[in-house]
Amino acid sequence: MIKTSTQNELIQYVYNELADPALEQLETALMHDNELAESCSELLLLQRLLDGAAKSPSQRSIDNILNYSKSLSLQS
């Protein structure tokens, strides 16, 4: 089981937010700990999947919002 601090460090590593001393320590640990390296690999894959996810609402959602907004302006 990976410690929470290591999980947080892995997430910071994946997003290039880990400070230099900790970065060097983690990279050394990744070379020697297969379980840690596998966890890092999984996080990198998840990052790519999340980055590729749709980031805009569907047209139906946009239409619902616009219709609701129009109905409010008609009530005034």
Side-chain angles (χ1 to χ4, degrees):
M1 182 80 181
I2 298 172
K3 296 180 194 174
T4 302
S5 61
T6 306
Q7 287 177 339
N8 290 338
E9 289 171 353
L10 280 176
I11 292 169
Q12 290 174 333
Y13 178 78
V14 166
Y15 285 97
N16 297 320
E17 296 177 352
L18 198 57
D20 286 336
L23 176 67
E24 293 172 13
Q25 289 177 352
L26 183 61
E27 286 179 340
T28 301
L30 287 169
M31 288 188 278
H32 296 93
D33 185 341
N34 289 337
E35 184 180 340
L36 186 64
E38 186 176 323
S39 295
C40 186
S41 177
E42 290 173 359
L43 284 173
L44 286 165
L45 176 62
L46 288 171
Q47 178 196 31
R48 282 190 218 122
L49 291 172
L50 286 172
D51 288 346
K55 296 179 183 175
S56 59
S58 68
Q59 188 59 46
R60 182 175 175 202
S61 295
I62 294 170
D63 291 341
N64 285 340
I65 293 168
L66 290 174
N67 287 334
Y68 179 75
S69 178
K70 286 177 188 175
S71 73
L72 290 179
S73 66
L74 293 175
Q75 293 176 1
S76 307

